[in-house]
Amino acid sequence: MERLAIMGGTFDPIHMGHLRMAHAVQRQLEFDKVVFLPAYIPPHKQKRSDFASWQDRLAMVKLAIQEYEDFVVSSLEFDRGGLSYTYDTVNVMQEMWPDADIYLIIGEDSLTQLYTWYRVQDLLRLVYFAAAERPGYEGEAGVERLTKAYGSWAAEKIIHVEVPETAISSTEIRKRLRDGKPIRGMAPLAVERYIFEHGLYRAETLKL
C-alpha cells in the first residue's frame, strides 16, 4: 500500500525550512511521496492582505521541489476554490488515492492549535499526523488537549518526528524583503529569483 504524506501550508513563500522538514519526515517514516498542498484561502489567515497570489505561490512551490524526486505538488485547493479546510481536502484526496495510507505533516507549533481545527475529531479518524518537533514548542500540550476532548485514542494518531533545527520563517522572509535585506540561503535559489523577477513582497527594488 502506498504511503503518502501531505504537507499543506500557505507557502508564502516556500523556504528551506519547509523542504528540510519534509525531507526529514519522509526519510524517517519512509513515505513513497510527499504531496505539497498550497492553501487557496487558509481559514485562520483570512484577515491578511499581503498574500502573494495563488498563481505565484503555486509556481514557487513547483520551483522549490523540482530537485526532489519524491516531492510533488497538488493544485487541489486552488482548483476547488473557497476556504481551505483540511478535513474537506483529505476526503477528496482519499477519493483520489483510495488505496493509500495518508499522513499529514505539521509543525509542532500547529499541533498545539490542532484542537481548534475544523472537524478535527473526524480528521483524526481519517489520517495520522506527523508532527515535526520545533524549538520552543511543547507539542505534548496539544496532544493532552486532544485526549481530554476525544479520548486516549487521539494520542495514537500523532507521530512525533525529529527534524533539523531551523529559524527560517515565511514571515521573516517577507519582512526582510520589505526592509530591503537579502534572503540568500533562506529559500531555494529558483524561488529567490522568482520573487525578485516578479517583484513579490516589495522586492522589485532589490537586486540578487
Side-chain angles (χ1 to χ4, degrees), residues 153-173:
W153 66 270
E156 298 173 3
K157 304 305 292 282
I158 311 296
I159 302 170
H160 297 272
V161 185
E162 293 183 7
V163 299
E165 197 171 313
T166 178
I168 303 171
S169 72
S170 298
T171 300
E172 181 187 4
I173 289 174

Side-chain angles (χ1 to χ4, degrees), residues 108 111-115 124 131 138-160:
E108 205 164 33
L111 185 57
T112 61
Q113 298 298 317
L114 190 57
Y115 73 99
L124 283 165
E138 296 294 335
E140 289 303 326
V143 176
E144 288 177 9
R145 285 185 178 132
L146 293 171
T147 55
K148 285 181 181 178
Y150 307 121
S152 59
W153 66 270
E156 298 173 3
K157 304 305 292 282
I158 311 296
I159 302 170
H160 297 272

Side-chain angles (χ1 to χ4, degrees), residues 22-38:
H23 181 65
V25 172
Q26 182 194 24
R27 186 178 65 251
Q28 292 179 51
L29 300 184
E30 300 181 336
F31 293 119
D32 296 297
K33 283 186 175 59
V34 176
V35 182
F36 283 75
L37 190 70

